[in-house]
Amino acid sequence: MFDRLLELISINDIKKIGNAKILLVGVGGVGGYALESLVRSGFKNISIIDGDVISISNLNRQIIAKMTNIDKFKVEEAKTRSLEINSDVKINTMGVYLNEDNFNDFVNENYDYIIDACDDILVKILLLKYAKAHNIKIITSLGTGRKFDPSKLQITTLNKTFNDPLAKKLRNELRKQNIDLNIPVVFSSEEAINTGNVIGSAIFVPATAGILLANYVFKDILKKS
């Protein structure tokens, strides 16, 4: 299935990607597309964490969401979809909401890379601290709600972000804990669209953010610019 990919990278690269162990936290609007990109790019050892179920409001932007799987757990539907694409992939599912109490029960040192695609500030901080303490590479996704233009997305470091309330909160909390802000992130420089109490979202920005996350990890593992 990777004949076309092998026109761009070597068979040894494919093996390296296949051996990499990835932890993906969140398989919603952003994480679902990150997972799709990982599976279609040769990653075979992926653990996914998400305690949520699919709702009808997910249909406009989440790749795993269908009318036929409403109310089903996202991690299980994500696994099913992944195996339909590549039956050789090993997907370890954890259908939980990570928090401070259960974090160490589900996150361990057996990963080469952590992809943070969740929207919980506390969990993001826990992941960043754990990755640093255990020398695990990590990339974090920032806010994609109230954004509409995927061309405004970019990969930079947390200390260089702007127009992102989630990034601002994360920076403030990390500064309080004296944690370095030189952390790779995917963020949108687009000014947020005020959509009232409900956070508006379309497929374009979260989907692109997820692909960028996976692409960054892919290139970093293979050390390609």
Side-chain angles (χ1 to χ4, degrees), residues 3-211:
D3 288 353
R4 296 296 182 98
L5 184 57
L6 283 167
E7 295 296 320
L8 303 174
I9 62 176
S10 70
I11 188 68
N12 287 332
D13 288 337
I14 287 285
K15 291 177 180 178
K16 193 171 183 180
I17 288 296
N19 289 330
K21 296 177 181 178
I22 309 297
L23 173 62
L24 172 61
V25 181
V27 287
V30 176
Y33 279 90
L35 178 61
E36 182 93 358
S37 301
L38 294 173
V39 171
R40 292 185 185 273
S41 300
F43 289 87
K44 293 184 178 180
N45 295 284
I46 309 168
S47 295
I48 55 177
I49 300 178
D50 197 317
D52 204 4
V53 297
I54 295 169
S55 69
I56 196 164
S57 66
N58 299 151
L59 290 171
N60 80 317
R61 67 193 185 283
Q62 298 191 14
I63 195 167
I64 62 171
K66 302 180 292 184
M67 286 298 298
T68 54
N69 63 10
I70 302 299
D71 293 329
K72 294 185 178 180
F73 279 101
K74 289 182 179 179
V75 289
E76 296 305 325
E77 293 303 298
K79 178 178 181 177
T80 297
R81 181 180 175 88
S82 297
L83 290 172
E84 288 174 345
I85 296 167
N86 183 0
S87 59
D88 291 332
V89 70
K90 296 179 179 65
I91 303 284
N92 176 36
T93 63
M94 291 167 274
V96 297
Y97 290 109
L98 279 183
N99 57 50
E100 200 165 15
D101 294 328
N102 68 15
F103 186 87
N104 290 325
D105 295 330
F106 296 101
V107 180
N108 57 54
E109 302 174 46
N110 298 323
Y111 301 107
D112 300 302
Y113 233 111
I114 296 173
I115 299 176
D116 164 23
C118 75
D119 55 10
D120 187 306
I121 288 284
L122 176 59
V123 174
K124 286 181 176 295
I125 293 170
L126 291 172
L127 289 168
L128 289 168
K129 291 172 70 174
Y130 189 90
K132 182 178 181 180
H134 296 88
N135 199 31
I136 302 171
K137 291 190 172 183
I138 186 170
I139 184 168
T140 293
S141 174
L142 297 175
T144 59
R146 295 193 169 102
K147 310 272 184 165
F148 200 68
D149 185 353
S151 72
K152 300 296 185 182
L153 284 162
Q154 60 181 280
I155 294 175
T156 185
T157 51
L158 182 59
N159 56 313
K160 296 179 181 177
T161 57
F162 55 96
N163 286 343
D164 189 323
L166 179 62
K168 184 177 180 180
K169 290 179 183 178
L170 186 57
R171 285 196 306 270
N172 289 340
E173 290 301 319
L174 293 178
R175 285 192 183 108
K176 291 176 185 177
Q177 300 185 42
N178 295 315
I179 298 174
D180 184 13
L181 300 183
N182 191 34
I183 300 159
V185 297
V186 173
F187 100 105
S188 170
S189 62
E190 181 181 11
E191 291 190 21
I193 300 168
N194 186 1
T195 55
N197 294 329
V198 177
I199 298 176
S201 184
I203 189 172
F204 313 109
V205 176
T208 306
I211 293 170

